[in-house]
Amino acid sequence: MDKNAFQTELNRVAFTPAGREALTDALTREAPARRPMRWARRGLAAALAAVVLAGSALAAGTLWERYFGRLDETQQEIIGTLSRELPAAESNGTTMTPLAAFGDQDFYYLMLEIRAPEGTVLPDYGEDEGYYQLFGDTLEERLTLTDSAGQDVLCTLDYTWLNDDPTDNVLTAAIRLWSLEGTDLCDGADKILHIPGLWVQSPDKIYTPVLTGGWDFNIGAHSGGVESLTPDVAGVTVEDADCGTMTMEYLRLSPLGMRIRHSWSEPKEGIYPGAALSVVMEDGSEVFLKDTVGSGGENWNEEFGPFEVPVDLGKAVAVRWGTAEIPLR
């Protein structure tokens, strides 16, 4: 295979920049004329397979493309840096296997394969039929996250179901956990995610059990946290027509999302003012939060949310909050 043909094959696989450069140099270097280099397809496949197995960023990043969509090399590197391995768990003949997991202080992503006993069929369901849920409708059927003392860690979650074959016994869930109280999900301390099983929730909120048991995953002890940015926000204000001056009190920014707290000078009952929040990149583009959750009081509000895809903070120059801009460099 000549250099151009090999480069075409190489471009089909994602690597870290350093890994791509090293492999390209090693495999496309010109050989002496008396011993021309030729790659059989089997040899090329073996070489690429070895790199795939060795590159956690590649393995995790390409797997998460099923959830996020296309990821560039930098985004795959971010996921690879944050990734850790979790052991599988088995209960009542069903094995739940974490295919990939990564997270930071506020967010945790888990790609979970659910393999039911042979002969079980896990079909697709339409909106008129119901939805898969990882919890039932009783206290004993709760999905929980607890710390080393057995105390609940207040979280919310969402998930996307990936069903490659609706006639077999395998179902995959892409799960995202949100830490509602600011508890660090990736500080290395025990945090046990307990999944009680799989239910189908009908449109009228009737839960039908499909798989029940107990599957536990210590996401806290198997986490690859990242250093968040907490830029100086002293004096950052935005005017609101109803509630006077809004003052930013706190901002935390990571490659996965943002958390902000602000107050206002003229409280009005039932009104919680806010302003558009985004990250400004060096090319002038803006990155917004995909969703937000939050809490508030008489004259304050805290909200946070994830980005649509991981963000390269090395290319971020500022955070924009309404008419205010907070430099990051």
Side-chain angles (χ1 to χ4, degrees):
M1 190 178 292
D2 63 24
K3 180 173 181 177
N4 290 335
F6 173 75
Q7 188 65 53
T8 299
E9 293 290 329
L10 185 67
N11 287 337
R12 297 172 58 192
V13 185
F15 300 85
T16 64
R20 176 184 291 276
E21 182 179 352
L23 187 65
T24 303
D25 179 69
L27 296 182
T28 63
R29 187 183 299 118
E30 285 190 34
R34 59 186 175 84
R35 295 187 61 189
M37 181 182 292
R38 291 290 183 267
W39 281 88
R41 282 196 171 271
R42 185 171 59 183
L44 174 62
L48 294 181
V51 176
V52 169
L53 292 173
S56 61
L58 168 65
T62 54
L63 181 61
W64 281 105
E65 286 185 340
R66 298 186 64 192
Y67 176 78
F68 289 110
R70 178 64 183 169
L71 297 169
D72 62 28
E73 288 183 355
T74 299
Q75 291 163 338
Q76 292 195 47
E77 280 190 76
I78 292 169
I79 290 175
T81 299
L82 299 176
S83 292
R84 291 296 185 272
E85 293 185 0
L86 285 170
E90 191 274 339
S91 180
N92 292 340
T94 294
T95 301
M96 295 192 183
T97 304
L99 303 177
F102 70 98
D104 66 5
Q105 184 164 340
D106 288 316
F107 305 100
Y108 193 90
Y109 292 82
L110 174 64
M111 185 76 73
L112 186 69
E113 180 191 82
I114 302 170
R115 185 173 294 271
E118 291 295 331
T120 305
V121 176
L122 300 176
D124 287 332
Y125 287 94
E127 290 187 3
D128 296 335
E129 301 171 283
Y131 310 88
Y132 281 120
Q133 301 282 19
L134 294 174
F135 53 84
D137 59 352
T138 69
L139 188 62
E140 292 75 21
E141 297 166 348
R142 288 191 310 143
L143 184 149
T144 60
L145 183 66
T146 54
D147 61 20
S148 56
Q151 299 298 310
D152 286 342
V153 177
L154 187 59
C155 287
T156 187
L157 83 161
D158 55 63
Y159 37 78
T160 300
W161 296 104
L162 307 172
N163 199 356
D164 293 327
D165 185 351
T167 66
D168 69 6
N169 62 326
V170 180
L171 187 63
T172 302
I175 302 169
R176 180 176 57 195
L177 282 165
W178 308 38
S179 173
L180 293 179
E181 295 180 322
T183 301
D184 191 340
L185 297 178
C186 295
D187 59 2
D190 290 347
K191 291 178 185 64
I192 308 299
L193 175 65
H194 171 75
I195 298 175
L198 181 70
W199 280 259
V200 174
Q201 176 191 328
S202 68
D204 54 356
K205 301 296 177 66
I206 296 175
Y207 290 79
T208 302
V210 180
L211 305 166
T212 58
W215 295 264
D216 292 340
F217 304 96
N218 193 340
I219 69 170
H222 297 83
S223 301
V226 64
E227 192 76 23
S228 298
L229 299 180
T230 54
D232 183 7
V233 296
V236 176
T237 61
V238 173
E239 295 301 317
D240 180 81
D242 294 316
C243 295
T245 301
M246 295 191 299
T247 301
M248 185 178 289
E249 299 178 350
Y250 179 77
L251 170 66
R252 183 166 72 231
L253 175 69
S254 83
L256 304 184
M258 277 192 290
R259 181 182 289 266
I260 178 178
R261 179 186 170 105
H262 69 280
S263 60
W264 46 91
S265 60
E266 301 173 19
K268 290 182 174 61
E269 186 175 355
I271 298 179
Y272 294 87
L277 186 67
S278 66
V279 178
V280 182
M281 307 303 289
E282 61 185 17
D283 63 1
S285 63
E286 291 183 76
V287 181
F288 295 87
L289 300 179
K290 181 179 180 181
D291 302 295
T292 58
V293 297
S295 59
E298 181 182 356
N299 71 330
W300 65 273
N301 186 53
E302 182 173 274
E303 59 182 319
F304 75 109
F307 298 121
E308 191 81 30
V309 295
V311 171
D312 181 5
L313 295 186
K315 296 181 179 179
V317 296
V319 170
R320 186 168 289 157
W321 183 51
T323 56
E325 195 160 292
I326 304 151
L328 297 175
R329 299 182 183 177

